[in-house]
Amino acid sequence: MSCEEPTTSPTPENNITVVSSDGKEFLLDLKLTEQSETLARLISNFEYDRTDVKKDPVPLGNITSAQMQKIIEWLQHHRYYPKWEQNDIHYSTSFTFETWVEEYLNIPNNEMFELLNAANYLNIPRLFSTICRIMASRITGKSAEQIRTVLNIKTDVKNDVYTGIPIQEDSSSSEDGMSEISLSPSPPPI
Amino acid sequence: REMTANNLLTDLPQELSTQIFNECDFLSILSLRKVCHATREFIDDLKPISDFPIIMLLINKNWLGLKLENGVKHHEGFYVKYEKHEKGCMVTWNTEYGEGQGKKKLLDGCNFMELFLNEFHLVMKFQHHFNGFDLQVYTDTVAPEILKAFEKIEVEYLELGVWNPEIAAQMLPFFNPTTLKILKISSHRVDAELEKSFIDLTEIAKLDHWKTVKSLDIDAFYVNYDIPSFLHFTEVAISWQRISYEMIFKLMETMVQAYSLRYLLVRSDNIENDERLIQTFGEPFVEQVTSEHRRDIWYFRIPESEEILEFVISTKGALAFDRIKSEEMPQNAEITEVTIL
């Protein structure tokens, strides 16, 4: 699992070095970088896929070494997956995930959001979409109170117990308080 | 705002949290609005969903229903019923997650109409354009509070189901005529197995909707309006109390020359289909669909056109004119030549 002791040692021809924000170097197989549109473009721009080109380490100023390790774990798992296809208009959200993915993303929210930022920065569409769907799946079917627990949010809205209509008046909520009851069904059966 | 620091969703860059919200279903978005003021403002600015192409409102004296259908992202629907109760409002709701099992809760001291309007307002806040809007009014008048909730709604397909035909003329102006393509007005009388009543189209025909709609279907109401008033539509379905031989002949003459109107269906339980038709149009091509159901079909040449006018009288109580290509005709059918005087 650890990326510092890669099982297959990359040779200089088929890898690049990336440097995390805290100065740690990672050897990355070129095959893995295909999943990151940011890295893939960089490699193609600098022609790093050619053996006769000298490769400088690539600084990733937005990504810590812990995040980089987590991302490499993702890239290695999806090494042989087909290229991610963009959703078309008939796309329907799926909340079904591989067990591996569920375990991989069983992390605290703050780490999840950092990972989402990193996936966005490196442009890894499969990881990005998966995190969004995992987060949405944790929200779906929950009442406001349950969502507060999931997202660890302390409310600033005092809801009437029965109607869920905010008691504390303010401009944004006074005119459209919702009936909590009708709009917060129980979670879907698993 | 002191609580914002705890709000993980709104602490993400907006482009990222938008992506998460976009994966959420409608009910979750509504729940998220109640999480805290920051998420509420965020969602209201973002309007992340306009996910329900089809909406249905049911208006009764003692209960109101709101149904959203065909959610694009989750292929979902949900239905809430707000019922007047001596202690307040009984709310029943269903989602597709629940596999049809409804949930019920009595909201003490709440007004059923107020609750309904709150949620209808919210739906309208997120979504201004619907593919389909189905408004079923079972009362004789619509309460002014409800009328106030309607603002020029953009919709392509509008169905108005009413007891009182005047409600149709009253409700139509609340829908934007420029987007409206298909209009269906139907009567609840048929469901109750009552005799059809008449609808007066005078007021409706004065509205812009009458000019912009392409397809008009007036189901289970008799109309007095004559065909020339329908000629600018592309498709029309109406009911007449009685269709005489003379009317059929005149319809054929009109339809053979009609420019816009490509399809006309006239329902009637009283169609004069006798030997005079055979004397005038010739023998029909007979299609025996079942032992009880027969279709008599004539084909007319349309002057200066490649198309053929197909005319069907069905034993199911309807006649229909349709423009077809000549290759769509049965091989042993004949074309009747028409001389327009």
Side-chain angles (χ1 to χ4, degrees), chain B residues 109-150:
Chain B
C110 288
N111 178 283
F112 76 111
M113 193 176 289
E114 232 170 77
L115 287 178
F116 165 82
L117 288 174
N118 274 341
E119 284 177 16
F120 178 52
H121 262 305
L122 243 155
V123 171
M124 296 304 297
K125 185 172 187 162
F126 283 119
Q127 188 148 357
H128 311 283
H129 185 102
F130 295 93
N131 294 348
F133 199 111
D134 188 351
L135 178 63
Q136 299 291 332
V137 183
Y138 293 90
T139 47
D140 244 358
T141 55
V142 181
E145 299 96 300
I146 296 178
L147 288 179
K148 251 176 67 188
F150 281 84

Short mmCIF file of all heavy atoms in Angstrom, two decimals, chain B residues 109-150:
data_model
loop_
_atom_site.label_atom_id
_atom_site.label_comp_id
_atom_site.label_asym_id
_atom_site.label_seq_id
_atom_site.Cartn_x
_atom_site.Cartn_y
_atom_site.Cartn_z
N GLY B 109 -51.98 22.73 14.25
CA GLY B 109 -52.15 24.17 14.10
C GLY B 109 -51.63 24.75 12.79
O GLY B 109 -51.53 25.95 12.64
N CYS B 110 -51.28 23.87 11.84
CA CYS B 110 -50.79 24.38 10.55
C CYS B 110 -51.92 24.43 9.53
O CYS B 110 -52.80 23.58 9.54
CB CYS B 110 -49.67 23.49 10.01
SG CYS B 110 -48.16 23.64 10.93
N ASN B 111 -51.84 25.40 8.67
CA ASN B 111 -52.84 25.52 7.62
C ASN B 111 -52.38 24.76 6.39
O ASN B 111 -51.27 24.96 5.90
CB ASN B 111 -53.05 27.01 7.31
CG ASN B 111 -54.04 27.20 6.19
OD1 ASN B 111 -53.71 27.01 5.02
ND2 ASN B 111 -55.25 27.55 6.54
N PHE B 112 -53.25 23.89 5.88
CA PHE B 112 -52.82 23.02 4.77
C PHE B 112 -52.46 23.81 3.52
O PHE B 112 -51.52 23.48 2.81
CB PHE B 112 -53.89 21.95 4.48
CG PHE B 112 -55.11 22.44 3.74
CD1 PHE B 112 -55.33 22.03 2.42
CD2 PHE B 112 -56.04 23.26 4.34
CE1 PHE B 112 -56.46 22.46 1.73
CE2 PHE B 112 -57.17 23.70 3.66
CZ PHE B 112 -57.37 23.31 2.35
N MET B 113 -53.18 24.90 3.30
CA MET B 113 -52.91 25.68 2.09
C MET B 113 -51.59 26.43 2.21
O MET B 113 -50.81 26.51 1.26
CB MET B 113 -54.06 26.64 1.82
CG MET B 113 -53.98 27.22 0.43
SD MET B 113 -55.36 28.26 0.01
CE MET B 113 -56.68 27.07 -0.17
N GLU B 114 -51.32 26.95 3.41
CA GLU B 114 -50.07 27.66 3.63
C GLU B 114 -48.86 26.75 3.41
O GLU B 114 -47.89 27.12 2.75
CB GLU B 114 -50.05 28.17 5.06
CG GLU B 114 -49.75 29.64 5.22
CD GLU B 114 -50.01 30.07 6.64
OE1 GLU B 114 -49.14 29.76 7.48
OE2 GLU B 114 -51.07 30.67 6.92
N LEU B 115 -48.96 25.54 3.95
CA LEU B 115 -47.85 24.60 3.79
C LEU B 115 -47.64 24.25 2.32
O LEU B 115 -46.52 24.24 1.82
CB LEU B 115 -48.13 23.31 4.57
CG LEU B 115 -48.02 23.40 6.09
CD1 LEU B 115 -48.37 22.07 6.71
CD2 LEU B 115 -46.62 23.82 6.51
N PHE B 116 -48.73 23.99 1.64
CA PHE B 116 -48.66 23.67 0.22
C PHE B 116 -48.02 24.82 -0.56
O PHE B 116 -47.11 24.61 -1.37
CB PHE B 116 -50.07 23.38 -0.30
CG PHE B 116 -50.20 23.37 -1.80
CD1 PHE B 116 -49.87 22.25 -2.54
CD2 PHE B 116 -50.65 24.51 -2.47
CE1 PHE B 116 -49.99 22.25 -3.92
CE2 PHE B 116 -50.77 24.52 -3.85
CZ PHE B 116 -50.44 23.39 -4.58
N LEU B 117 -48.48 26.03 -0.28
CA LEU B 117 -47.98 27.18 -1.04
C LEU B 117 -46.50 27.44 -0.76
O LEU B 117 -45.75 27.79 -1.67
CB LEU B 117 -48.82 28.43 -0.73
CG LEU B 117 -50.22 28.40 -1.34
CD1 LEU B 117 -51.04 29.60 -0.87
CD2 LEU B 117 -50.17 28.35 -2.86
N ASN B 118 -46.07 27.22 0.50
CA ASN B 118 -44.65 27.35 0.82
C ASN B 118 -43.81 26.48 -0.09
O ASN B 118 -42.80 26.90 -0.64
CB ASN B 118 -44.38 26.92 2.26
CG ASN B 118 -44.61 28.05 3.23
OD1 ASN B 118 -44.62 29.21 2.82
ND2 ASN B 118 -44.81 27.70 4.48
N GLU B 119 -44.24 25.24 -0.22
CA GLU B 119 -43.41 24.30 -0.97
C GLU B 119 -43.54 24.52 -2.47
O GLU B 119 -42.57 24.38 -3.22
CB GLU B 119 -43.70 22.87 -0.53
CG GLU B 119 -43.01 22.66 0.81
CD GLU B 119 -43.22 21.33 1.46
OE1 GLU B 119 -43.66 20.40 0.79
OE2 GLU B 119 -42.93 21.23 2.66
N PHE B 120 -44.71 24.91 -2.89
CA PHE B 120 -44.89 25.22 -4.31
C PHE B 120 -44.01 26.42 -4.69
O PHE B 120 -43.35 26.43 -5.72
CB PHE B 120 -46.36 25.49 -4.61
CG PHE B 120 -46.63 25.86 -6.05
CD1 PHE B 120 -46.17 25.06 -7.08
CD2 PHE B 120 -47.35 27.00 -6.37
CE1 PHE B 120 -46.39 25.40 -8.41
CE2 PHE B 120 -47.58 27.35 -7.68
CZ PHE B 120 -47.10 26.55 -8.70
N HIS B 121 -43.99 27.43 -3.80
CA HIS B 121 -43.13 28.61 -4.02
C HIS B 121 -41.68 28.20 -4.20
O HIS B 121 -40.98 28.71 -5.05
CB HIS B 121 -43.22 29.53 -2.80
CG HIS B 121 -44.17 30.66 -2.99
ND1 HIS B 121 -44.08 31.52 -4.04
CD2 HIS B 121 -45.25 31.05 -2.28
CE1 HIS B 121 -45.06 32.41 -3.96
NE2 HIS B 121 -45.80 32.13 -2.91
N LEU B 122 -41.25 27.27 -3.34
CA LEU B 122 -39.86 26.85 -3.39
C LEU B 122 -39.53 26.15 -4.69
O LEU B 122 -38.48 26.38 -5.30
CB LEU B 122 -39.58 25.90 -2.23
CG LEU B 122 -38.56 26.52 -1.32
CD1 LEU B 122 -38.69 25.99 0.05
CD2 LEU B 122 -37.18 26.30 -1.88
N VAL B 123 -40.43 25.29 -5.10
CA VAL B 123 -40.21 24.60 -6.37
C VAL B 123 -40.09 25.63 -7.48
O VAL B 123 -39.18 25.57 -8.33
CB VAL B 123 -41.37 23.63 -6.66
CG1 VAL B 123 -41.26 23.07 -8.07
CG2 VAL B 123 -41.38 22.50 -5.64
N MET B 124 -40.98 26.62 -7.46
CA MET B 124 -40.96 27.64 -8.51
C MET B 124 -39.71 28.51 -8.44
O MET B 124 -39.26 29.04 -9.45
CB MET B 124 -42.21 28.54 -8.40
CG MET B 124 -43.51 27.82 -8.62
SD MET B 124 -43.57 26.96 -10.20
CE MET B 124 -43.41 28.35 -11.30
N LYS B 125 -39.17 28.66 -7.24
CA LYS B 125 -37.97 29.44 -7.07
C LYS B 125 -36.78 28.78 -7.76
O LYS B 125 -35.92 29.43 -8.32
CB LYS B 125 -37.71 29.55 -5.56
CG LYS B 125 -36.57 30.42 -5.15
CD LYS B 125 -36.59 30.55 -3.62
CE LYS B 125 -35.57 31.54 -3.15
NZ LYS B 125 -35.85 31.99 -1.79
N PHE B 126 -36.76 27.46 -7.71
CA PHE B 126 -35.65 26.73 -8.31
C PHE B 126 -35.86 26.50 -9.80
O PHE B 126 -34.94 26.38 -10.57
CB PHE B 126 -35.45 25.38 -7.64
CG PHE B 126 -34.78 25.48 -6.31
CD1 PHE B 126 -35.40 25.04 -5.16
CD2 PHE B 126 -33.51 26.02 -6.22
CE1 PHE B 126 -34.77 25.14 -3.95
CE2 PHE B 126 -32.87 26.12 -5.01
CZ PHE B 126 -33.51 25.68 -3.86
N GLN B 127 -37.08 26.35 -10.17
CA GLN B 127 -37.35 25.92 -11.54
C GLN B 127 -38.42 26.79 -12.19
O GLN B 127 -39.53 26.89 -11.70
CB GLN B 127 -37.83 24.45 -11.51
CG GLN B 127 -37.95 23.84 -12.87
CD GLN B 127 -37.65 22.36 -12.84
OE1 GLN B 127 -37.30 21.81 -11.81
NE2 GLN B 127 -37.78 21.72 -13.96
N HIS B 128 -38.05 27.44 -13.28
CA HIS B 128 -39.01 28.32 -13.95
C HIS B 128 -39.57 27.70 -15.21
O HIS B 128 -40.54 28.18 -15.77
CB HIS B 128 -38.35 29.64 -14.32
CG HIS B 128 -37.60 30.24 -13.19
ND1 HIS B 128 -38.25 30.89 -12.18
CD2 HIS B 128 -36.30 30.25 -12.88
CE1 HIS B 128 -37.35 31.30 -11.30
NE2 HIS B 128 -36.16 30.91 -11.70
N HIS B 129 -38.92 26.66 -15.66
CA HIS B 129 -39.32 26.07 -16.93
C HIS B 129 -39.63 24.58 -16.74
O HIS B 129 -38.83 23.86 -16.17
CB HIS B 129 -38.18 26.24 -17.94
CG HIS B 129 -38.54 25.79 -19.31
ND1 HIS B 129 -38.88 26.66 -20.30
CD2 HIS B 129 -38.64 24.55 -19.84
CE1 HIS B 129 -39.17 25.97 -21.41
NE2 HIS B 129 -39.03 24.68 -21.14
N PHE B 130 -40.77 24.18 -17.18
CA PHE B 130 -41.15 22.77 -17.08
C PHE B 130 -41.46 22.23 -18.47
O PHE B 130 -42.02 22.94 -19.30
CB PHE B 130 -42.41 22.60 -16.22
CG PHE B 130 -42.21 22.98 -14.79
CD1 PHE B 130 -42.51 24.26 -14.36
CD2 PHE B 130 -41.71 22.08 -13.88
CE1 PHE B 130 -42.32 24.62 -13.04
CE2 PHE B 130 -41.52 22.43 -12.55
CZ PHE B 130 -41.83 23.70 -12.13
N ASN B 131 -41.10 20.98 -18.68
CA ASN B 131 -41.56 20.33 -19.92
C ASN B 131 -43.05 20.09 -19.82
O ASN B 131 -43.78 20.29 -20.77
CB ASN B 131 -40.86 18.99 -20.13
CG ASN B 131 -39.38 19.17 -20.38
OD1 ASN B 131 -38.93 20.29 -20.61
ND2 ASN B 131 -38.64 18.09 -20.32
N GLY B 132 -43.45 19.62 -18.66
CA GLY B 132 -44.86 19.29 -18.48
C GLY B 132 -45.41 19.88 -17.21
O GLY B 132 -44.76 19.84 -16.17
N PHE B 133 -46.58 20.46 -17.29
CA PHE B 133 -47.26 20.99 -16.11
C PHE B 133 -48.68 20.46 -16.15
O PHE B 133 -49.41 20.69 -17.11
CB PHE B 133 -47.26 22.53 -16.15
CG PHE B 133 -47.51 23.17 -14.81
CD1 PHE B 133 -46.52 23.86 -14.15
CD2 PHE B 133 -48.76 23.07 -14.20
CE1 PHE B 133 -46.75 24.46 -12.92
CE2 PHE B 133 -48.99 23.65 -12.98
CZ PHE B 133 -47.99 24.35 -12.33
N ASP B 134 -49.05 19.74 -15.12
CA ASP B 134 -50.37 19.12 -15.08
C ASP B 134 -51.13 19.72 -13.90
O ASP B 134 -50.74 19.54 -12.76
CB ASP B 134 -50.20 17.60 -14.91
CG ASP B 134 -51.51 16.86 -15.06
OD1 ASP B 134 -52.57 17.52 -15.12
OD2 ASP B 134 -51.48 15.61 -15.11
N LEU B 135 -52.15 20.47 -14.20
CA LEU B 135 -52.92 21.15 -13.15
C LEU B 135 -54.32 20.56 -13.12
O LEU B 135 -55.07 20.68 -14.09
CB LEU B 135 -52.97 22.65 -13.44
CG LEU B 135 -53.78 23.52 -12.48
CD1 LEU B 135 -53.19 23.48 -11.08
CD2 LEU B 135 -53.82 24.96 -12.98
N GLN B 136 -54.64 19.90 -12.02
CA GLN B 136 -55.95 19.26 -11.90
C GLN B 136 -56.76 19.98 -10.84
O GLN B 136 -56.41 19.97 -9.66
CB GLN B 136 -55.78 17.78 -11.53
CG GLN B 136 -54.99 16.96 -12.55
CD GLN B 136 -55.75 16.76 -13.87
OE1 GLN B 136 -56.98 16.76 -13.90
NE2 GLN B 136 -55.01 16.62 -14.96
N VAL B 137 -57.82 20.64 -11.26
CA VAL B 137 -58.63 21.42 -10.33
C VAL B 137 -59.98 20.72 -10.15
O VAL B 137 -60.74 20.58 -11.11
CB VAL B 137 -58.84 22.86 -10.84
CG1 VAL B 137 -59.63 23.68 -9.82
CG2 VAL B 137 -57.50 23.53 -11.12
N TYR B 138 -60.23 20.30 -8.93
CA TYR B 138 -61.48 19.56 -8.67
C TYR B 138 -62.53 20.46 -8.02
O TYR B 138 -63.61 20.01 -7.69
CB TYR B 138 -61.20 18.35 -7.78
CG TYR B 138 -60.36 17.30 -8.49
CD1 TYR B 138 -58.98 17.34 -8.40
CD2 TYR B 138 -60.95 16.30 -9.26
CE1 TYR B 138 -58.20 16.40 -9.07
CE2 TYR B 138 -60.19 15.36 -9.92
CZ TYR B 138 -58.81 15.42 -9.81
OH TYR B 138 -58.04 14.49 -10.47
N THR B 139 -62.15 21.72 -7.79
CA THR B 139 -63.10 22.64 -7.17
C THR B 139 -63.75 23.51 -8.24
O THR B 139 -63.28 23.55 -9.38
CB THR B 139 -62.36 23.56 -6.17
OG1 THR B 139 -61.19 24.07 -6.81
CG2 THR B 139 -61.96 22.80 -4.93
N ASP B 140 -64.81 24.23 -7.86
CA ASP B 140 -65.51 25.06 -8.83
C ASP B 140 -64.80 26.40 -9.05
O ASP B 140 -64.95 27.02 -10.10
CB ASP B 140 -66.95 25.30 -8.36
CG ASP B 140 -67.94 24.66 -9.33
OD1 ASP B 140 -67.47 24.10 -10.34
OD2 ASP B 140 -69.15 24.74 -9.09
N THR B 141 -64.06 26.82 -8.03
CA THR B 141 -63.26 28.04 -8.17
C THR B 141 -61.88 27.76 -7.57
O THR B 141 -61.71 26.80 -6.83
CB THR B 141 -63.87 29.22 -7.38
OG1 THR B 141 -64.03 28.80 -6.02
CG2 THR B 141 -65.20 29.66 -7.95
N VAL B 142 -60.91 28.58 -7.94
CA VAL B 142 -59.57 28.43 -7.36
C VAL B 142 -59.37 29.55 -6.35
O VAL B 142 -59.63 30.71 -6.63
CB VAL B 142 -58.49 28.50 -8.45
CG1 VAL B 142 -57.10 28.32 -7.85
CG2 VAL B 142 -58.73 27.42 -9.50
N ALA B 143 -58.93 29.16 -5.15
CA ALA B 143 -58.74 30.14 -4.06
C ALA B 143 -57.76 31.23 -4.50
O ALA B 143 -56.75 30.93 -5.14
CB ALA B 143 -58.22 29.44 -2.81
N PRO B 144 -58.03 32.49 -4.15
CA PRO B 144 -57.15 33.59 -4.56
C PRO B 144 -55.71 33.43 -4.09
O PRO B 144 -54.78 33.82 -4.78
CB PRO B 144 -57.79 34.83 -3.93
CG PRO B 144 -58.98 34.38 -3.16
CD PRO B 144 -59.23 32.95 -3.44
N GLU B 145 -55.52 32.78 -2.91
CA GLU B 145 -54.15 32.56 -2.43
C GLU B 145 -53.37 31.69 -3.42
O GLU B 145 -52.19 31.91 -3.65
CB GLU B 145 -54.14 31.82 -1.07
CG GLU B 145 -54.83 32.54 0.06
CD GLU B 145 -56.26 32.07 0.23
OE1 GLU B 145 -57.04 32.20 -0.75
OE2 GLU B 145 -56.61 31.57 1.31
N ILE B 146 -54.05 30.71 -3.97
CA ILE B 146 -53.37 29.82 -4.91
C ILE B 146 -53.08 30.57 -6.21
O ILE B 146 -51.99 30.49 -6.76
CB ILE B 146 -54.21 28.55 -5.16
CG1 ILE B 146 -54.33 27.75 -3.86
CG2 ILE B 146 -53.60 27.71 -6.28
CD1 ILE B 146 -55.17 26.50 -3.96
N LEU B 147 -54.07 31.33 -6.67
CA LEU B 147 -53.87 32.09 -7.90
C LEU B 147 -52.66 33.02 -7.78
O LEU B 147 -51.89 33.19 -8.72
CB LEU B 147 -55.11 32.92 -8.21
CG LEU B 147 -56.34 32.15 -8.70
CD1 LEU B 147 -57.50 33.09 -8.93
CD2 LEU B 147 -56.01 31.38 -9.98
N LYS B 148 -52.48 33.58 -6.58
CA LYS B 148 -51.38 34.51 -6.37
C LYS B 148 -50.02 33.83 -6.50
O LYS B 148 -49.03 34.48 -6.80
CB LYS B 148 -51.50 35.15 -4.97
CG LYS B 148 -51.90 36.62 -5.03
CD LYS B 148 -52.12 37.20 -3.65
CE LYS B 148 -50.85 37.29 -2.82
NZ LYS B 148 -51.16 37.69 -1.42
N ALA B 149 -50.00 32.53 -6.24
CA ALA B 149 -48.73 31.79 -6.29
C ALA B 149 -48.26 31.55 -7.73
O ALA B 149 -47.11 31.22 -7.97
CB ALA B 149 -48.87 30.47 -5.55
N PHE B 150 -49.18 31.72 -8.67
CA PHE B 150 -48.81 31.47 -10.06
C PHE B 150 -48.27 32.75 -10.69
O PHE B 150 -48.90 33.80 -10.60
CB PHE B 150 -50.04 31.03 -10.86
CG PHE B 150 -50.40 29.60 -10.67
CD1 PHE B 150 -51.16 29.19 -9.59
CD2 PHE B 150 -49.97 28.64 -11.58
CE1 PHE B 150 -51.49 27.87 -9.42
CE2 PHE B 150 -50.30 27.31 -11.41
CZ PHE B 150 -51.06 26.92 -10.33
#
